[in-house]
Amino acid sequence: MILNSDPVPLSDNFTHPLPSVVNAYKICRKDEERILDNLNDTDGKKNLTTLRKELINIRILGHLLDKAPSATATAHITKTIVSCKSYIERVKAGEFYDQHFLRPFRSNKGRTPSPSHHPSRPSFDYRQAVIKTDMTENRLEYTHPQNHQQAKKSALLRDNFRCMVSGKVDAQSWEADIGSDVTITECAHIFEESTNTNLNDEAKVSAQHYAASVWAVLEAFGYPNILKDLAGSNIHRLDNILTMDLRLHQYFDTLKLWFEGTEIPHCYNVVSTENVVFAMGAHHVVTFQSADEELALPNPTYLHIHAACCKVAHMSGAAGYYELLDGDDEYNSTGAVPADVLTARLHDISISQSHIVDPV
């Protein structure tokens, strides 16, 4: 399924069973109108990049009311909006959810370690037999991986040595001359490794505060157990892991690929903003199955939260803003930086250094 990646204005016809949610949405809609009027005003009273980011922040709040991952999250966002005493407080609230709900699911390009290559690849059957024997002898290590490397190994076994999205075989697990239906896979985390590591490292106070805010948002949205479930090395639990083609992994990590649940357990519609994802071999519908009943499948709740973040990021325009920030990194190595890219980066730095009111 392809989703249009263009920002979506807030609707004049938003409906919800609860009048309080509708009222909160109308407040955001009025804020949106105000910003759009200012954007059309050419007197230069306010920086255009600042206005565009304010528009994104308000749309984050509005679209969260419609696409929040839970009823608890919708209620929390509603309370946040109506408790704000001014338009600028709502802008700051939208910025907070951008920083601590949407962005934690988005990795910088190239962050995921590339897999190492073996000088020779044994046949698939032989490789599978070796790993299964190893699992029999070290079952706890496989069922509760403690690091990235072990999580990759366990997930490969669970997923029958295939990308969960395309079905292509992991090239390192198969003989070299198998043909074209192979790929290099990576270990994809739903909740990023960096979100839940070094929380007790006093030398990283800023990272600790950021991570704590991320988990506080999830708790306020009705997910109080995720922090405990994924604490420390538990971030590598198999229910937080997918085996994925390295190119598809890039799209997953940049919020351009996600999974929407169906009525069938562990069956998902694959959704992307990029046609190329399906040209790369991604299936439109996938059903996750474990080759060993003790190896947990990806957690449907984690995937549901990830999907909500992806949708809000694109509908609000935040995803396009992240691309601008990525552009800053690309231009840093080549010299001149386009004005819109530089302005976005400076705005982002000013936000990260300011004290945003925590609405949680």
Side-chain angles (χ1 to χ4, degrees), residues 8-254:
V8 179
L10 299 182
S11 173
D12 286 327
N13 302 310
F14 175 77
T15 59
H16 192 277
L18 296 177
S20 59
V21 178
V22 175
N23 179 57
Y25 192 94
K26 287 181 178 178
I27 292 173
C28 293
R29 180 70 185 93
K30 289 181 180 178
D31 288 339
E32 180 189 54
E33 289 179 350
R34 170 180 175 172
I35 298 170
L36 290 173
D37 288 342
N38 287 335
L39 281 169
N40 292 327
D41 188 352
T42 58
D43 64 5
K45 288 182 179 179
K46 209 166 192 178
N47 182 282
L48 286 179
T49 299
T50 300
L51 282 172
R52 288 168 183 154
K53 188 58 176 72
E54 289 182 357
L55 179 62
I56 289 170
N57 294 345
I58 290 299
R59 284 178 173 170
I60 286 173
L61 292 180
H63 288 308
L64 272 174
L65 289 172
D66 187 33
K67 302 298 182 183
S70 67
T72 301
T74 301
H76 183 79
I77 295 296
T78 299
K79 182 179 178 181
T80 296
I81 293 169
V82 299
S83 65
C84 289
K85 298 178 181 178
S86 66
Y87 152 80
I88 198 61
E89 285 190 13
R90 288 187 290 276
V91 167
K92 289 181 178 180
E95 183 71 49
F96 179 85
Y97 292 114
D98 177 23
Q99 294 278 344
H100 300 96
F101 184 59
L102 303 186
R103 292 201 199 193
F105 282 95
R106 189 182 191 278
S107 295
N108 291 327
K109 292 180 291 185
R111 177 177 296 175
T112 303
S114 297
S116 59
H117 292 273
H118 300 291
S120 62
R121 302 183 185 111
S123 70
F124 176 76
D125 291 340
Y126 175 78
R127 178 65 175 156
Q128 187 180 46
V130 168
I131 293 182
K132 284 189 173 181
T133 299
D134 188 39
M135 179 181 175
T136 300
E137 297 173 354
N138 303 284
R139 182 159 289 270
L140 182 62
E141 186 177 290
Y142 275 86
T143 54
H144 296 84
Q146 298 295 298
N147 56 56
H148 189 107
Q149 183 179 11
Q150 184 58 51
K152 159 84 171 177
K153 194 175 180 181
S154 300
L156 270 175
L157 180 60
R158 177 196 67 189
D159 303 327
N160 200 25
F161 303 88
R162 297 173 184 270
C163 167
M164 302 180 77
V165 189
S166 67
K168 293 182 179 181
V169 178
D170 175 58
Q172 296 177 70
S173 304
W174 202 282
E175 57 192 22
D177 59 350
I178 191 64
S180 59
D181 197 26
V182 296
T183 189
I184 295 174
T185 66
E186 292 182 335
C187 176
H189 289 70
I190 305 171
F191 285 91
E192 276 298 305
E193 295 177 75
S194 59
T195 309
N196 208 25
T197 55
N198 300 318
L199 294 187
N200 296 318
D201 189 345
E202 294 182 1
K204 298 182 179 181
V205 175
S206 178
Q208 181 180 0
H209 177 75
Y210 175 79
S213 296
V214 171
W215 295 111
V217 168
L218 287 169
E219 184 173 345
F221 280 9
Y223 305 101
N225 296 323
I226 294 180
L227 171 59
K228 181 179 67 174
D229 291 343
L230 297 180
S233 61
N234 281 344
I235 200 76
H236 301 294
R237 282 171 50 141
L238 282 175
D239 58 352
N240 190 45
I241 299 292
L242 300 93
T243 299
M244 197 174 292
D245 171 289
L246 66 87
R247 298 167 302 170
L248 296 177
H249 186 190
Q250 291 273 331
Y251 288 100
F252 182 78
D253 272 1
T254 52

Side-chain angles (χ1 to χ4, degrees), residues 262-280:
T262 67
E263 294 181 357
I264 302 172
H266 301 293
C267 179
Y268 300 89
N269 292 314
V270 180
V271 185
S272 179
T273 58
E274 307 292 333
N275 279 300
V276 70
V277 162
F278 299 101
M280 290 176 181

